[in-house]
Amino acid sequence: MAVNVDYQHYLSESSKARKPSAIRRLIPLTKIPGMISLGAGAPNPDLFPFEGISISLKGGESLDVDSSVLSDSLTYGPSDGIPQLNHWLRELQTLQHQPPKEFGLTIGTGSQDLVTKGLQMLISPGDNVLFESPGYVGVIAFLRHQPCNLVDVELDSHGVIPSKLREKLDNWPVDKRKPKVLYTVPVGGNPTGVSQTLERKKEIYMIAQDHNLLILEDDPYFYLQYGDKIPSYLSMDVDGRVLRFDSFSKILSSGLRVGWATGPPELINVMNLVTQTSNLQPSSVAQAITYTLLQSWGHDRFYEHTRKVASFYKDKCQQFCKYASKHLAGLAEWVEPDAGMFIWFYLKGIEDSFDLILTKAVEKKVLLVPGIEFYCHPEENGPSQFVRASFSNVSEADMDLGLERLASLLREQHTV
């Protein structure tokens, strides 16, 4: 049953005190016909040297950025992104997720820009934040410099374990501040490569309802699912307690730095206030290029493209697992992913993968990431027997050779 969510309960004191920028709030008013602006202080666009932008696609097609879109994108624009792209993405979210509640949407400089703003908006000094263990190192690095405590959430081969999460919250000490936020990468997790099932998502959402949690759904690999897409938390959010993050980095270009957040308008509005006092806006030129492509494609061709991307990574994953079985059988254990671009190896008979990977594997000319880097509390978790491998940019020949080198190194360690 849906409940009313009090967003003031989640916001930090500094977020509650945020006010719109005196200059930024004038920008929408400059678009009113007949308005004479003496206030905004924007540079004169007649002096910008850019006349047009043309895009050449790999299939041979050429696209031109619309002159009015380009003109608007070359100057200061809205903090939530250019209206054309924001509208296109709202349509996409409605088509893909059919959110049961009214939602807001904002565009950022990649999804990590928005994830960090969302966390910053919610964290008060002394807060406890529920975080997957192991989890995404990019957000771990950010949170280590925030005034909060990270609370490990246990995972298995299907992601967050609902029973463990419920047990942790049901037995939370009365003298400690209870968590109000769960951060999760539910599809093709980084580093584990595992995905939460629909049944688990439903159970975790119920736990969030029972314990009044917000779910930060960081889902950059959603469109890299190898089979049917598992419905998102956003699609089941009858309360308005999900803040979802998407990215074009894995499906269009990581250099464009265009991502978007979807969720309760009350929270999206505060995120926009954070943008107003930090980077003002995401790059409008990058958005104009992105919009030009997407508008040309339409949603159907976008979906067609994402299916090709997912098929590519599925083939890569199957190739990689084939060579892992060839070389690492008996030396390592792993779960074959159903999305994304990572595999999480458990190295049998190895007590600590850190020096092994950063020193000895480098000498063998094979690069991986030591597992300890993905834990919030490395000093408490102790040495890790895990390593993360990525197959996204590796040729089949290099998969074979790289995993052969890793296997050789592991055998050498077993004979020491």
Side-chain angles (χ1 to χ4, degrees), residues 31-32 46 55 61 68 89 110 128 136 265 270 275 300 332 353 360 406-407 411 414:
K31 306 299 181 184
I32 297 176
D46 291 343
I55 307 165
E61 187 177 357
S68 63
L89 291 171
N128 294 295
Y136 173 43
V270 177
T275 297
D300 287 342
S353 68
K360 296 176 182 178
L406 176 61
R411 289 191 185 93
H414 291 165

Side-chain angles (χ1 to χ4, degrees), residues 19-201:
K19 305 294 181 185
S21 163
I23 304 300
R24 293 251 104 200
R25 65 186 178 190
L26 297 179
I27 291 178
L29 303 180
T30 65
K31 306 299 181 184
I32 297 176
M35 181 65 69
I36 297 173
S37 176
L38 304 178
N44 193 310
D46 291 343
L47 300 176
F48 298 159
F50 305 99
E51 183 64 30
I53 294 179
S54 296
I55 307 165
S56 298
L57 302 183
K58 289 181 176 178
E61 187 177 357
S62 294
L63 303 173
D64 292 324
V65 176
D66 179 83
S67 59
S68 63
V69 173
L70 178 61
S71 176
D72 288 343
S73 73
L74 288 173
T75 189
Y76 296 125
S79 294
D80 61 349
I82 63 173
Q84 298 91 337
L85 182 59
N86 193 297
H87 178 73
W88 198 96
L89 291 171
R90 288 184 64 89
E91 290 181 334
L92 176 68
Q93 298 302 73
T94 300
L95 286 169
Q96 181 62 61
H97 304 285
Q98 300 180 352
K101 294 274 288 187
E102 178 187 0
F103 65 90
L105 188 145
T106 190
I107 299 169
T109 307
S111 62
Q112 183 149 332
D113 169 50
L114 296 168
V115 170
T116 55
K117 287 173 179 173
L119 288 164
Q120 182 183 1
M121 166 182 73
L122 299 170
I123 291 173
S124 296
D127 274 358
N128 294 295
V129 177
L130 295 164
F131 199 93
E132 294 175 332
S133 180
Y136 173 43
V137 67
V139 174
I140 292 175
F142 171 77
L143 288 174
R144 282 179 178 155
H145 298 282
Q146 298 302 304
C148 65
N149 307 306
L150 299 182
V151 179
D152 291 344
V153 176
E154 294 179 56
L155 311 180
D156 64 10
S157 59
H158 296 292
V160 172
I161 306 172
S163 61
K164 296 287 187 180
L165 177 61
R166 184 175 288 281
E167 180 183 10
K168 189 182 293 287
L169 291 168
D170 285 347
N171 297 291
W172 192 262
V174 294
D175 60 338
K176 291 186 178 182
R177 192 180 304 177
K178 198 168 183 180
K180 57 187 182 182
V181 173
L182 166 65
Y183 171 85
T184 180
V185 180
V187 173
N190 182 358
T192 60
V194 303
S195 300
Q196 296 169 18
T197 64
L198 176 58
E199 292 71 22
R200 283 213 174 173
K201 284 185 176 180

Side-chain angles (χ1 to χ4, degrees), residues 12 16 18 42 79 85 108 121 175 189 191 247 267 294 365 368 370:
S12 68
K16 293 175 186 177
R18 285 188 180 274
S79 294
L85 182 59
M121 166 182 73
D175 60 338
S247 173
L267 297 182
L294 296 175
K365 292 190 176 181
L368 300 98

